[in-house]
Amino acid sequence: MPAWEQRKLGELTESYSGGTPAAGESEFYGGSIPFIRSAEIAAESTELFLTEKGYESSSARMVKPGDVLYALYGATSGEVAVSRQKGAINQAILAILPRDDCDARLNIRSF
């Protein structure tokens, strides 16, 4: 069995967090884009949905099934999950996307 190679996470992944549209703007919510909050990082569905206008007006970012999600703060701070859905994330979530030669569980594939 080959020895483990020590690498910095940033060498193997890209990461980013999201954002939240203004809460008082009703035209930003109720659309078709799932809005993933930190308590929902391992869920198959969300309670809130954004409109295209809401998504575009914020710094929310999209994730897809298989992306690694990390809850940055709040009641779920430190929890990690592999996303089970496509949707937009808020600022309390860090998306960690493995490079093409790594899988979502961060096991190194053959180069």
Side-chain angles (χ1 to χ4, degrees):
M1 176 174 241
W4 284 88
E5 180 182 346
Q6 186 173 0
R7 304 279 297 273
K8 292 184 179 186
L9 188 59
E11 295 175 15
L12 301 173
T13 65
E14 170 192 352
S15 61
Y16 55 82
S17 62
T20 300
E25 302 292 332
S26 61
E27 69 268 14
F28 292 169
Y29 295 90
S32 61
I33 302 169
F35 187 48
I36 304 168
R37 296 171 294 165
S38 58
E40 301 169 325
I41 62 173
E44 292 182 4
S45 62
T46 63
E47 290 183 8
L48 289 178
F49 292 82
L50 300 179
T51 62
E52 194 67 37
K53 186 175 183 179
Y55 176 73
E56 291 173 1
S57 76
S58 72
S59 56
R61 301 274 307 267
M62 295 298 289
V63 296
K64 64 188 180 316
D67 291 346
V68 176
L69 304 181
Y70 177 83
L72 293 169
Y73 54 85
T76 57
S77 177
E79 290 188 18
V80 178
V82 175
S83 181
R84 299 172 74 185
Q85 60 184 317
K86 179 180 176 183
I89 58 172
N90 70 14
Q91 66 278 4
I93 299 172
L94 180 68
I96 304 170
L97 289 67
R99 288 187 333 207
D100 289 341
D101 55 354
C102 300
D103 71 19
R105 290 166 298 281
L106 301 180
N107 294 320
I108 306 224
R109 294 183 195 166
S110 59
F111 290 106

